[in-house]
């Protein structure tokens, strides 16, 4: 009996057709040059074969996503993170998601030369996250602390300092100061930084001596901004061009990992677990110079945003061609629908001193006054009633089921955008200009 038979799902007539279509697509792809070198006719043939298999994947998962997820998680007794889940699915259901061998062939290729196997991961994860039963279980798995953070926690508790390649975390007077320090690339995020950010957020949440978290960019060595603090330049487009920005390891891990933990907290054993599932804390963002793309997305999950008077915020989704994470889900809550459409669809830049920017930032201060403003905000958010009210505000403003449904569709739409011809062309031009 196969693993699929053991899933005990009814009406499996789609499965043989899916396996056959997937095999045909794989055989055709193997006979063609790399995607970036194919003729128009070859690209069309490959797309048609892949689309035929993908239509069957969608049909199968519409009926059997819960049964597949239950099998992979042993009846939801095991909490698998995103990467672990798709890896397990690749072994148990190799026609449903790309295998390790298929992904290995793409590894090291430029984005333009990849086959787009992540689209199939997006189909799978849309079905799982869209399920009212499997989806919350996966979200909970992503809210658990990472093994790396648990390993570093005793040292952080003892010294109050952890330094990673991308982030410096320091505990001072009950506050955790998380400084993004990719000084060479203006804190443009890549896989390394996402891992470091989640580790730092976990540590700040798990340390009982921390009451408030503070996010800020460090001083840059970039020639144009040398000696200046910069909050974040968003996604690292050079890494995207090089094929190093993955759907599971970067785009979804970022949203369901450290950003979601800032909103909901981390799920871990703690005192008072009977009245609060997770350990959550208020967060402050201090924006110097600019918060672009993912940097602006960070502001939308924080409880208090400080902005230097000479800074600006923007979500350049139209220019980059991708979906700005959960920015579409959250920005309108702050600004209203008209401004959110101007920012996301038309690339509007909000300068800190203009009125609409105050819908995103709580305070605008002169650059030299930022340290004092941060200290005052930490004091205000250290009150005893802040946590309970913060939880209730987040529950009202970002209901878990609405977030889950948004992320389900995001999983597929972002996967499709990663392989859009316009995206590949734009990041290629950006990389050439940077060089």
């Amino acid at each position: 009996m196969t693993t699929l038979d053991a899933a005990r799902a009814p009406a499996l007539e789609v499965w043989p057709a899916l396996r056959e279509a997937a095999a045909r697509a794989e055989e055709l792809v193997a006979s063609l040059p790399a995607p970036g070198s194919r003729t128009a006719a070859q690209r069309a043939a490959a797309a048609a074969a892949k689309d035929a298999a993908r239509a069957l994947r969608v049909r199968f998962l519409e009926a059997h996503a819960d049964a597949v997820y239950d099998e992979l998680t042993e009846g939801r007794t095991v909490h698998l993170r995103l990467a672990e889940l798709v890896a397990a699915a690749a072994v148990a259901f190799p026609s449903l998601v790309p295998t390790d061998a298929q992904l290995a062939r793409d590894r090291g290729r430029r984005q333009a030369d990849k086959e787009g196997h992540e689209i199939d991961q997006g189909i799978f994860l849309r079905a799982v996250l869209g399920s009212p039963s499997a989806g919350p279980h996966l979200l909970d798995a992503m809210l658990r602390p990472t093994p790396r953070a648990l390993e570093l926690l005793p040292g952080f508790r003892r010294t109050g300092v952890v330094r990673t390649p991308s982030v410096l975390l320091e505990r001072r007077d009950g506050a955790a100061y998380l400084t993004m320090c990719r000084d060479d690339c203006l804190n443009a995020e890549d896989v390394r930084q996402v891992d470091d950010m989640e580790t730092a957020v976990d540590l700040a949440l798990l340390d009982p001596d921390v009451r408030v978290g503070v996010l800020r960019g460090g001083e840059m060595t970039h020639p144009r901004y040398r000696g200046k603090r910069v909050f974040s330049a968003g996604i690292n487009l050079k890494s995207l061009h090089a094929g190093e920005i993955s759907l599971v390891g970067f785009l979804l891990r970022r949203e369901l990992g450290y950003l979601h933990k800032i909103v909901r907290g981390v799920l871990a054993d703690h005192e008072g677990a009977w009245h609060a599932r997770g350990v959550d804390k208020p967060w402050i963002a201090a924006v110097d110079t600019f918060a672009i793309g993912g940097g602006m997305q960070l502001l939308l999950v924080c409880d208090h945003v400080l902005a230097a008077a000479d800074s600006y915020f923007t979500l350049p989704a139209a220019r980059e061609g991708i979906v700005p994470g959960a920015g579409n889900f959250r920005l309108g809550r702050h600004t209203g629908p008209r401004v959110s459409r101007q920012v996301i669809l038309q690339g509007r830049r909000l300068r800190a001193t203009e009125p609409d920017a105050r819908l995103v930032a709580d305070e605008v201060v002169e650059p030299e006054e930022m340290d004092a403003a941060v200290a005052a905000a930490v004091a205000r958010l250290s009150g005893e009633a802040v946590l309970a009210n913060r939880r209730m505000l987040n529950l009202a403003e970002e209901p878990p089921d609405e977030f889950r449904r948004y992320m389900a569709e995001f999983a597929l739409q972002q996967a499709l955008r990663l392989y859009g011809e316009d995206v590949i062309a734009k990041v290629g031009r950006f990389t050439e200009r940077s060089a």
Side-chain angles (χ1 to χ4, degrees):
M1 180 177 292
T2 66
T3 304
L4 181 59
D5 295 328
R8 299 182 303 278
L12 293 174
E13 66 277 0
V14 177
W15 182 246
L18 168 56
R19 295 186 67 177
E20 183 178 342
R24 283 198 303 268
E26 181 69 4
E27 183 178 351
L28 174 62
V29 163
S31 71
L32 298 175
S37 302
R38 289 173 189 165
T39 66
Q42 289 171 333
R43 288 197 298 272
K50 291 175 184 177
D51 285 352
R54 285 167 180 160
L56 291 169
R57 286 189 182 97
V58 170
R59 282 181 58 195
F60 177 80
L61 285 165
E62 283 175 347
H64 308 300
D66 281 347
V68 169
Y69 187 79
D70 283 354
E71 166 123 343
L72 297 174
T73 59
E74 300 179 25
R76 293 175 218 164
T77 61
V78 176
H79 287 82
L80 299 179
R81 286 173 62 86
L82 286 167
E84 297 168 329
L85 182 68
V86 295
V91 174
F93 306 100
S95 297
L96 199 57
V97 295
T99 64
D100 285 346
Q102 289 173 315
L103 294 173
R105 287 196 292 271
D106 266 359
R107 202 167 294 124
R109 289 178 173 177
R110 298 179 312 149
Q111 193 68 18
D113 289 325
K114 291 190 173 186
E115 287 293 350
H117 293 304
E118 289 168 295
I119 295 171
D120 301 305
Q121 292 178 329
I123 291 171
F124 171 67
L125 291 171
R126 179 178 69 166
V128 171
L129 287 166
S131 163
S133 50
H137 190 269
L138 178 55
L139 290 183
D140 280 357
M142 291 301 294
L143 288 177
R144 290 170 177 260
T146 64
R148 185 186 182 201
L150 293 174
E151 181 181 346
L152 292 172
L153 182 59
F156 181 63
R157 292 289 316 279
R158 185 175 65 255
T159 67
V161 177
V162 165
R163 186 183 294 273
T164 69
S166 308
V167 176
L168 172 63
L169 181 66
E170 303 170 284
R171 184 185 63 239
R172 299 194 300 270
D173 300 323
Y177 293 85
L178 192 162
T179 304
M180 296 172 280
C181 51
R182 287 294 299 277
D183 58 305
D184 59 324
C185 61
L186 307 178
N187 288 325
E189 281 191 293
D190 55 15
V191 173
R192 171 78 275 168
Q193 186 158 339
V194 166
D195 187 48
D196 290 346
M197 288 291 285
E198 185 167 12
T199 299
V201 168
D202 280 353
L203 291 171
L205 290 169
L206 291 169
D207 186 348
D209 294 328
V210 170
R211 298 189 307 276
V212 181
V214 178
L215 300 166
R216 194 173 183 186
E219 291 186 1
M220 300 291 105
T221 58
H222 186 285
R224 188 173 176 184
Y225 298 94
R226 191 180 304 277
K228 291 191 65 174
R229 283 183 180 265
V230 167
F231 191 74
S232 174
I235 191 172
N236 191 314
L237 294 178
K238 289 184 181 179
S239 294
L240 178 54
H241 172 71
E244 297 168 355
I245 297 295
S246 67
L247 176 71
V248 170
F250 180 95
L251 293 161
L252 285 172
R253 177 183 176 178
R254 183 178 186 273
E255 297 297 331
L256 302 183
Y258 83 85
L259 288 178
H260 197 209
K261 286 174 175 176
I262 288 174
V263 177
R264 300 290 178 200
V266 67
L267 291 183
D269 294 334
H270 64 283
E271 292 183 12
W274 62 271
H275 63 76
R277 293 179 68 231
V279 181
D280 60 320
K281 291 166 187 179
W283 289 85
I284 297 163
V287 180
D288 300 280
T289 309
F290 52 68
I292 297 174
M296 185 174 180
Q297 294 167 33
L298 255 176
L299 310 185
L300 305 179
V301 297
C302 288
D303 302 286
H304 192 80
V305 176
L306 296 154
D310 59 354
S311 66
Y312 66 87
F313 332 123
T314 181
L315 285 173
R319 189 174 77 233
E320 295 169 352
I322 58 176
V323 180
N328 311 59
F329 178 69
R330 294 180 173 124
L331 182 60
R333 185 183 82 204
H334 294 264
T335 66
R338 297 268 50 94
V339 174
S340 67
R341 278 168 170 74
Q342 292 164 17
V343 171
I344 293 172
L345 302 183
Q346 302 177 52
R348 179 183 173 187
R349 179 179 292 186
L350 296 177
R351 298 194 175 278
T353 51
E354 64 181 288
D356 283 346
R358 294 304 298 271
L359 300 171
V360 177
D362 299 280
E363 294 182 71
V364 177
V365 301
E366 294 303 319
E368 63 273 14
E369 297 172 359
M370 185 65 83
D371 290 344
V374 168
V378 168
R380 289 195 300 273
L381 289 179
S382 296
E384 293 295 330
V386 167
L387 273 181
N389 283 289
R390 177 186 190 273
R391 287 175 194 144
M392 299 308 292
L393 284 167
N394 283 339
L395 188 63
E397 295 172 351
E398 191 168 305
D401 271 352
E402 290 187 17
F403 174 74
R404 175 183 57 78
R405 286 192 291 268
Y406 175 90
M407 291 309 304
E409 191 60 29
F410 172 82
L412 179 55
Q413 296 306 320
Q414 189 72 304
L416 291 167
R417 286 282 72 217
L418 274 180
Y419 293 92
E421 291 184 9
D422 60 319
V423 173
I424 290 170
K426 286 172 184 176
V427 298
R429 288 194 296 269
F430 173 83
T431 301
E432 288 171 3
R433 288 197 305 270
S434 300

